[in-house]
Amino acid sequence: MADASGSGFEAEPLKGDEAEGGVSKKKSCTEKLSFSHLTGWRTAVFLLSLFLCLVVVFAFSFILPCPVRPQYFSTWNCTLPDAATYDFLALEHTNEDKVLDVLFIYKDSEASRNTCLSEDLSIPCLVLTAVDGTDGKTLWERPLAAEFDWVECGVKGLGRQGTGCLVAHADNLTAIDIKTGEIRWQQSRSAVLKGNLPLISIQDLNADKAEDFAILSYNPEAPSFTPIPSELVFFSGKSGDQIGSKVDVDWNGVFGHQQFKTASGAPYLLLLTKSGLCAVSLQHLAELAGLESALKEEKSWKKKSDKNSGLISLYQSDSLKRVMVFPGSSSPSLLVQTDSSVSLLHTDKLKMAWTTNTSTLLSVPTFGHFDKDGIPDIMIEEDIGNKTKRVLVLSGSSGVVLWEVNLLFWTPSPRPASVLTLHTYSVFMLWGQSQSHGKQTNEMHSFLLHPRYSQLLLERRNPAQNIISFKATLLERGRHAGYLVLSGPDGRQHAELGETEPVILTKRKIKGDVPESGVLRVGADKSAAEAEVKEAFYRLRFSDALF
């Protein structure tokens, strides 16, 4: 039988003056004094440690202040009187803040006359300019000899920190550091006077620890019955010196090119010709130039290549217009545009996924997310006559029409743009005039399209201007969605300056257009109200992912 008194005894703690068996164990005065001193020392050590921790925390809070976000204007203008500009806008990190800066090029104005003379350049000269993305103030200017041919920024291997701008002008190829505007090197471009963009980037071929590039020369305006040889030249990104020998290739009727990587990462050059779309491996071209390289080649494509030219036929058509790399696809695909259709070509099987018939397209197609399937969709602009265009959004997965609207347009007209949001859909921006306003005017109307409220467009009226270049993007990672408009006289069409209109570079915040916009209803659904649509734009949060 269990002892009830025993369980009760175990449940109670021993008293201070009792021990087991009821024997008294009282502590002596010496023992009590020693325990008291020990407790005091422990308390003192604890308080001292706490004090030292607080001192360190407060010290570092002042020594290492919290990062400060750059302050920016929602709208700014950069104005240059008596100048002309070109269809070029680039976004690069030129200074040390987190906001992208803007690069553009213009022909001499009164404001830059001293800049040209300081470099012993005749007037008018070209001026490549970088302005701060936060407020539009000039960061640096680089005067260059006229005339202008082309420029590409973000070229790897040119600058001190990895990238730079390459300008083809006069008889020169000039590499410019995007951080400082300094000339890294300048070489004669006699070997590539008919060179065309885009540049072809390639890994280090001459062991100087900098990436190199190649330029492909051809005459895109040459008639099909006139044989014009194509030439490829490799250059050192670090010095601008030619690498290897010039590659003369018998590619008849080339009028465009595009760099491309296959699913295995093999680099190829796509060639748009009068007879269709071809490809050639960069490894094959490097070998023809007498260069040693270990570039990949796609096995399935290599089997189909011509033994003499190295060309691989991907798509045959006598009305090919444009080819674009389709973004965000697990299997690399190409958007192929002809005179009468837009198609999606899967490069792994070399088969068309879908084809949509179209009329003449007015601009380069724009990619963005309209529906919810996670595959980029395509916005195109068709010319339907009477100065009217049909703007369509095609499904990237099937090619079916997801949305459309008719607008009046003028020539030239900026192509549409899109910015991706955190909600996995994109906001689209396009230009034109509503047919409901009656007769076409000189006003420039910009429109914002929210895919979840596609029956309504936000319409903002802008003053008349000759838009040369337009770009919409995120100027800061994950925020600051804005757009840039470069307007003024076209430098390619105005040999002499003296135009009354200045060159103006304008930056505006996309959300800043919302309160200044009216609503254009484009669908039969009238359930959405103006306030509801504007509130949806205000709630947008943007993503810096590409697609």
Side-chain angles (χ1 to χ4, degrees):
M1 182 175 179
D3 188 352
S5 62
S7 62
F9 176 79
E10 290 178 358
E12 295 180 4
L14 293 172
K15 296 180 180 179
D17 58 350
E18 284 186 328
E20 295 154 356
V23 179
S24 175
K25 289 189 176 181
K26 290 186 178 180
K27 295 182 179 179
S28 67
C29 292
T30 304
E31 289 174 329
K32 289 182 179 180
L33 184 61
S34 175
F35 179 77
S36 176
H37 283 176
L38 184 61
T39 303
W41 278 110
R42 287 176 177 173
T43 304
V45 170
F46 171 75
L47 292 176
L48 180 61
S49 300
L50 181 62
F51 175 75
L52 291 175
C53 288
L54 291 174
V55 168
V56 170
V57 169
F58 281 109
F60 275 92
S61 67
F62 288 101
I63 297 173
L64 301 175
C66 295
V68 179
R69 280 193 58 212
Q71 300 298 313
Y72 60 86
F73 298 136
S74 60
T75 301
W76 52 253
N77 292 320
C78 178
T79 303
L80 300 163
D82 190 24
T85 190
Y86 303 87
D87 184 8
F88 167 74
L89 281 173
L91 295 164
E92 299 285 346
H93 283 293
T94 299
N95 56 14
E96 299 303 321
D97 64 15
K98 297 181 180 180
V99 178
L100 287 170
D101 305 303
V102 187
L103 290 93
F104 69 104
I105 192 165
Y106 66 93
K107 193 181 291 186
D108 177 37
S109 69
E110 291 295 332
S112 66
R113 186 171 296 274
N114 293 334
T115 305
C116 298
L117 294 176
S118 66
E119 299 291 331
D120 293 327
L121 298 174
S122 59
I123 299 172
C125 72
L126 303 171
V127 183
L128 180 64
T129 303
V131 297
D132 197 319
T134 62
D135 55 17
K137 293 182 179 179
T138 301
L139 297 173
W140 54 256
E141 291 183 323
R142 170 50 53 190
L144 300 165
E147 289 290 324
F148 174 73
D149 196 354
W150 49 258
V151 56
E152 184 169 319
C153 289
V155 183
K156 295 180 179 179
L158 298 189
R160 291 178 178 174
Q161 298 187 25
T163 64
C165 295
L166 187 65
V167 187
H169 64 104
D171 297 324
N172 303 318
L173 280 178
T174 304
I176 299 173
D177 192 294
I178 62 170
K179 299 291 185 181
T180 63
E182 297 176 354
I183 293 179
R184 303 296 297 154
W185 51 258
Q186 190 171 76
Q187 299 282 3
S188 169
R189 66 179 185 124
S190 57
V192 287
L193 278 175
K194 294 183 179 179
N196 295 271
L197 291 180
L199 296 178
I200 303 160
S201 59
I202 195 167
Q203 67 181 39
D204 184 11
L205 294 175
N206 58 348
D208 62 358
K209 299 181 180 180
E211 293 196 32
D212 302 316
F213 64 92
I215 296 178
L216 181 62
S217 298
Y218 51 84
N219 184 1
E221 305 299 329
S224 57
F225 55 81
T226 305
I228 301 293
S230 300
E231 299 173 337
L232 186 82
V233 180
F234 291 94
F235 293 91
S236 165
K238 188 173 184 178
S239 66
D241 295 328
Q242 181 175 328
I243 305 174
S245 58
K246 181 188 293 186
V247 180
D248 295 310
V249 285
D250 186 18
W251 298 336
N252 244 350
V254 174
F255 64 88
H257 71 280
Q258 176 75 47
Q259 195 164 352
F260 179 73
K261 281 191 175 182
T262 64
S264 66
Y268 277 78
L269 188 61
L270 303 178
L271 301 170
L272 285 71
T273 73
K274 303 291 184 181
S275 58
L277 179 63
C278 301
V280 62
S281 73
L282 289 183
Q283 171 64 24
H284 175 75
L285 296 174
E287 290 174 354
L288 292 178
L291 299 171
E292 294 184 4
S293 66
L295 299 172
K296 285 185 179 180
E297 290 187 271
E298 191 73 23
K299 292 182 179 179
S300 60
W301 283 24
K302 189 174 183 179
K303 293 178 181 178
K304 299 178 181 180
S305 64
D306 183 86
K307 293 183 179 180
N308 297 321
S309 65
L311 291 179
I312 306 153
S313 178
L314 302 181
Y315 175 70
Q316 294 183 348
S317 172
D318 58 1
S319 62
L320 185 65
K321 289 296 181 184
R322 184 179 287 110
V323 171
M324 302 174 69
V325 177
F326 190 80
S329 175
S330 56
S331 174
S333 301
L334 300 171
L335 188 70
V336 179
Q337 176 192 335
T338 68
D339 284 340
S340 58
S341 67
V342 173
S343 306
L344 187 67
L345 173 65
H346 287 327
T347 59
D348 51 353
K349 299 179 180 179
L350 296 182
K351 290 184 178 180
M352 288 296 181
W354 52 260
T355 298
T356 299
N357 294 328
T358 65
S359 57
T360 302
L361 297 192
L362 294 170
S363 62
V364 179
T366 297
F367 296 106
H369 289 271
F370 187 88
D371 57 18
K372 300 179 181 180
D373 63 3
I375 299 174
D377 305 305
I378 308 108
M379 177 174 278
I380 61 174
E381 297 182 307
E382 289 183 320
D383 186 354
I384 59 176
N386 296 323
K387 296 184 178 180
T388 304
K389 65 180 178 182
R390 178 183 294 117
V391 185
L392 305 164
V393 176
L394 306 180
S395 167
S397 59
S398 64
V400 301
V401 177
L402 301 175
W403 179 87
E404 66 177 282
V405 67
N406 291 351
L407 296 171
L408 299 173
F409 75 96
W410 58 92
T411 303
S413 180
R415 63 174 287 201
S418 71
V419 181
L420 185 64
T421 71
L422 290 175
H423 305 283
T424 69
Y425 55 77
S426 301
V427 170
F428 294 84
M429 187 171 182
L430 52 149
W431 297 79
Q433 281 188 16
S434 169
Q435 291 179 310
S436 62
H437 296 323
K439 187 178 179 180
Q440 188 178 26
T441 67
N442 290 329
E443 286 184 335
M444 312 284 284
H445 294 210
S446 57
F447 299 89
L448 291 173
L449 168 63
H450 193 304
R452 300 300 172 262
Y453 296 88
S454 57
Q455 68 274 25
L456 294 176
L457 288 174
L458 291 190
E459 179 183 18
R460 181 178 183 271
R461 298 189 179 191
N462 303 276
Q465 52 188 325
N466 184 40
I467 297 179
I468 303 298
S469 191
F470 160 72
K471 190 181 289 288
T473 187
L474 284 186
L475 292 176
E476 188 180 356
R477 186 170 184 176
R479 64 180 77 235
H480 200 167
Y483 65 93
L484 299 157
V485 175
L486 182 63
S487 63
D490 190 338
R492 297 193 185 277
Q493 298 177 3
H494 297 79
E496 298 295 331
L497 297 177
E499 297 291 325
T500 56
E501 295 181 8
V503 168
I504 303 175
L505 174 63
T506 302
K507 174 258 172 181
R508 289 185 61 87
K509 191 176 180 180
I510 288 180
K511 289 185 180 181
D513 279 6
V514 175
E516 300 178 12
S517 299
V519 168
L520 175 66
R521 195 169 294 276
V522 297
D525 185 2
K526 297 184 179 181
S527 59
E530 177 177 341
E532 182 182 357
V533 176
K534 289 187 174 183
E535 181 60 30
F537 275 98
Y538 287 132
R539 291 197 305 266
L540 288 175
R541 295 294 180 268
F542 295 93
S543 170
D544 54 351
L546 292 178
F547 286 98

